[in-house]
Amino acid sequence: MAKFTRKNAWDQNGTFDNPDLLWYAKAVGVMQSRALNDENSWWFFAAMHGEQMGGSEFPNWNVLPGLPNVPTTPLPDTATINKYWNQCQHQSWYFAPWHRGYLIALEEQIREAVISLGGPADWALPYWNYLGPDDQYKIPPAFTEKNLPDGTLNPLYVTARYGPKNNGNIYIEIPPISEACQGNTIYTGSNSSTSLPGYGGPETKFSHDGRVSGNLESNPHNLVHVQVGGQDGLMSDPDSAGLDPIFYLHHCNIDRMWASWNVKNHNPINPMWLGGPALYGEREFIMPLPNNKAWVYTPGEMTSLARLDYTYDDLAPTTAPLLEKTLSQRLTKLGAKSVVTETLQEQNMNLGSNSELVGANAGQVQIDGSGIKTTVKLESSSWKNVPNSLMKASASSLPDQVYLQLENVKGTKDANILKVSVNHQLAGHVSLFGLRNASHNDGHNAGNGLTFILNITEIIDNLYINNKLDIDSLDVTILPDNAIAADEKITVGRVSIYREEQKL
Ligand SMILES: [Cu+2]
């Protein structure tokens, strides 16, 4: 039996009647009362996720609005900063395991504070399951109360948290937010149930700001961040997100989804994933523990909840569609006589190794508030493989998958969501969480921006069924969810289309 069980924050209606939330609030207050240079402080923990809001001086939080009152002094020494701060892993296959270790370290700090206040010794971090039934899509009410039941200020209350409509009403929208990624069967790579780059993300080195998010990271993770934070909210940027106490309940749910996915599916066995970025000669994952010891961990040590001595009250796999069923449905729709009865083999491919560019637009476009439309020219010699594969589709000759890419998207703010359509059919929503960092010239990613991959296979199938695939171009529209400020510029380097062969 695991020592600690993480439970649903919406128990007791998500109010302070839920003891997990009341003790969390009080303990967050304890951590917030410590100085920035104290490794056990709330501020130090947020800075470990990230703190580079602009400029080059540590930490760059002086631009942040409202509660909590975030200190920017006194600083730890430079060696401590370089060892601990700006560690979070994004757009990477390390996303899930790095955040698991981060949550464990924060949970130990909070539990220590809970115990010091006379609370339960088995306190565990609650999760916010925004995809659960009834009112759970709303932020638990304990986070929006200005005061605790005893009348003191509520440390869970944050002013810079604006919600999807920027009016302070905090909830997430379903759709576009979904648990569809839970139907994936491959951590890195693709198959008929897993879109590129895979459930857990692409193979990377240490990736504090990267290029392509994995499917769990894209949706729900990135979308939830931006919808909770809204324009300029703490949650909308990785370099301020760790300051908002709801952050850890969001990540606890992402961690729970990963654990639930592992009931049926396995993590990478690649030694470079298991060993982590230290194997590339880069920074190791390291967290301060309450006993003033430093804890170094690897992704390989994060794969078993039992070994980490915690569990969740609910790890039931989701109802996301099974691979064989979806592929059979697709073949039937395309008119194939036979359906798939065997289980597909896993193709553990790296991004793009089995795909071919079939078209691109003229080049860089700038997104404005009313959205843009761009035409993707299709290269007839390579494009014709797509209708051919759909025509021949059968259980022994699988039809192609087709992807749309928004390449090298750059900008100065993370708080937006782009709605992408192809020939007037919705291709998907992408969250710009991480955009600012990925666009910095001094970032790890050399300022190349973010790249988004959208699976548009169903749109192409529908065009084929309606005899509309004999075409030389596709129209792509990109529409922002929120207004774009006059001083803000969002550009897309190129819009491209790829086909990917499927193998049995
Ligand atoms: Cu996050």
Side-chain angles (χ1 to χ4, degrees):
M1 257 264 303
K3 208 164 162 189
F4 304 108
T5 302
R6 295 178 179 174
K7 301 187 212 94
N8 193 321
W10 265 95
D11 290 351
Q12 289 89 24
N13 299 314
T15 65
F16 285 121
D17 289 341
N18 179 342
D20 291 342
L21 292 178
L22 184 61
W23 286 113
Y24 180 54
K26 291 179 176 176
V28 168
V30 171
M31 286 183 74
Q32 288 184 343
S33 71
R34 297 173 183 152
L36 173 61
N37 64 348
D38 181 340
E39 291 174 7
N40 302 328
S41 75
W42 186 253
W43 327 111
F44 193 95
F45 263 74
M48 286 200 294
H49 195 267
E51 50 74 43
Q52 293 169 336
M53 290 303 294
S56 56
E57 295 299 311
F58 291 124
N60 298 300
W61 282 335
N62 42 352
V63 295
L64 296 175
L67 283 173
N69 295 314
V70 181
T72 54
T73 57
L75 287 178
D77 59 64
T78 308
T80 303
I81 287 174
N82 292 339
K83 185 167 149 191
Y84 288 108
W85 286 16
N86 299 302
Q87 237 187 96
C88 71
Q89 298 294 295
H90 287 114
Q91 292 86 41
S92 167
W93 62 349
Y94 297 136
F95 164 73
W98 182 85
H99 283 85
R100 177 165 287 173
Y102 183 51
L103 288 187
I104 289 170
L106 184 279
E107 188 181 45
E108 291 206 16
Q109 295 283 354
I110 294 285
R111 187 183 300 125
E112 171 95 355
V114 167
I115 293 169
S116 75
L117 295 168
D122 65 347
W123 182 90
L125 187 65
Y127 59 87
W128 176 22
N129 179 20
Y130 26 72
L131 292 162
D134 307 322
D135 276 350
Q136 294 183 56
Y137 69 99
K138 299 176 185 165
I139 193 169
F143 286 80
T144 58
E145 298 285 347
K146 288 193 174 149
N147 298 97
L148 293 178
D150 66 7
T152 57
L153 290 176
N154 175 12
L156 305 185
Y157 178 75
V158 160
T159 46
R161 189 197 282 148
Y162 303 114
K165 300 279 181 265
N166 290 310
N167 58 7
N169 190 7
I170 316 298
Y171 61 95
I172 65 129
E173 295 176 316
I174 307 170
I177 292 167
S178 83
E179 57 183 1
C181 65
Q182 297 296 94
N184 290 180
T185 57
I186 296 187
Y187 192 95
T188 295
S190 66
N191 65 8
S192 296
S193 69
T194 315
S195 291
L196 286 171
Y199 181 78
E203 182 174 344
T204 65
K205 298 183 178 179
F206 188 93
S207 178
H208 186 56
D209 42 63
R211 200 176 75 94
V212 183
S213 289
N215 301 335
L216 172 69
E217 192 179 349
S218 292
N219 186 359
H221 171 264
N222 291 345
L223 287 164
V224 168
H225 265 285
V226 168
Q227 289 213 331
V228 170
Q231 292 251 284
D232 298 316
L234 297 179
M235 275 284 276
S236 296
D237 193 300
D239 286 346
S240 54
L243 293 165
D244 187 336
I246 196 63
F247 172 96
Y248 297 96
L249 277 71
H250 167 33
H251 268 276
C252 195
N253 194 50
I254 296 295
D255 189 70
R256 189 182 67 93
M257 289 177 74
W258 181 31
S260 169
W261 187 79
N262 277 151
V263 171
K264 282 186 174 175
N265 304 286
H266 66 81
N267 295 320
I269 50 169
N270 185 328
M272 301 313 276
W273 184 83
L274 294 168
L279 291 186
Y280 293 103
E282 300 193 327
R283 289 177 68 178
E284 55 192 7
F285 300 161
I286 182 166
M287 299 288 156
L289 295 181
N291 56 12
N292 289 320
K293 288 214 174 90
W295 172 47
V296 174
Y297 63 98
T298 63
E301 291 165 352
M302 294 298 105
T303 54
S304 158
L305 294 195
R307 215 169 75 189
L308 297 166
D309 225 0
Y310 75 93
T311 189
Y312 287 95
D313 63 350
D314 181 5
L315 278 174
T318 63
T319 51
L322 288 171
L323 143 84
E324 292 84 3
K325 195 173 149 221
T326 40
L327 182 60
S328 292
Q329 284 169 342
R330 185 176 176 212
L331 289 173
T332 305
K333 191 172 153 188
L334 291 170
K337 299 281 183 293
S338 56
V339 292
V340 175
T341 51
E342 60 197 298
T343 304
L344 285 183
Q345 263 178 29
E346 173 172 325
Q347 298 175 59
N348 210 347
M349 298 174 299
N350 280 328
L351 184 61
S353 65
N354 204 33
S355 53
E356 179 187 16
L357 179 72
V358 294
N361 77 336
Q364 181 173 302
V365 287
Q366 184 176 342
I367 314 288
D368 62 29
S370 52
I372 59 113
K373 183 172 155 180
T374 186
T375 301
V376 174
K377 281 281 297 164
L378 297 167
E379 217 42 76
S380 60
S381 57
S382 51
W383 173 251
K384 70 172 193 291
N385 292 313
V386 174
N388 280 346
S389 87
L390 299 186
M391 201 168 62
K392 291 189 306 197
S394 74
S396 56
S397 171
L398 297 183
D400 285 354
Q401 300 265 2
V402 182
Y403 291 97
L404 172 79
Q405 281 202 19
L406 306 182
E407 299 172 4
N408 307 111
V409 180
K410 294 184 201 176
T412 51
K413 265 186 193 170
D414 293 27
N416 221 327
I417 290 171
L418 303 178
K419 182 179 166 190
V420 184
S421 302
V422 174
N423 286 18
H424 306 293
Q425 295 189 60
L426 180 65
H429 292 76
V430 299
S431 162
L432 301 184
F433 187 69
L435 184 74
R436 189 178 56 79
N437 271 335
S439 306
H440 269 178
N441 283 329
D442 55 356
H444 275 80
N445 191 24
N448 286 325
L450 295 175
T451 287
F452 299 99
I453 306 177
L454 292 166
N455 191 326
I456 59 165
T457 304
E458 200 179 341
I459 294 176
I460 300 301
D461 283 358
N462 289 337
L463 288 171
Y464 171 77
I465 289 162
N466 295 312
N467 285 319
K468 286 179 180 160
L469 213 52
D470 186 14
I471 45 179
D472 52 22
S473 68
L474 288 166
D475 287 328
V476 177
T477 55
I478 306 173
L479 187 64
D481 246 19
N482 284 322
I484 298 174
D487 60 343
E488 191 191 345
K489 196 172 145 189
I490 303 173
T491 57
V492 180
R494 187 172 80 152
V495 181
S496 56
I497 308 272
Y498 285 80
R499 64 181 276 267
E500 186 189 42
E501 281 181 53
Q502 302 292 297
K503 286 182 195 136
L504 272 170

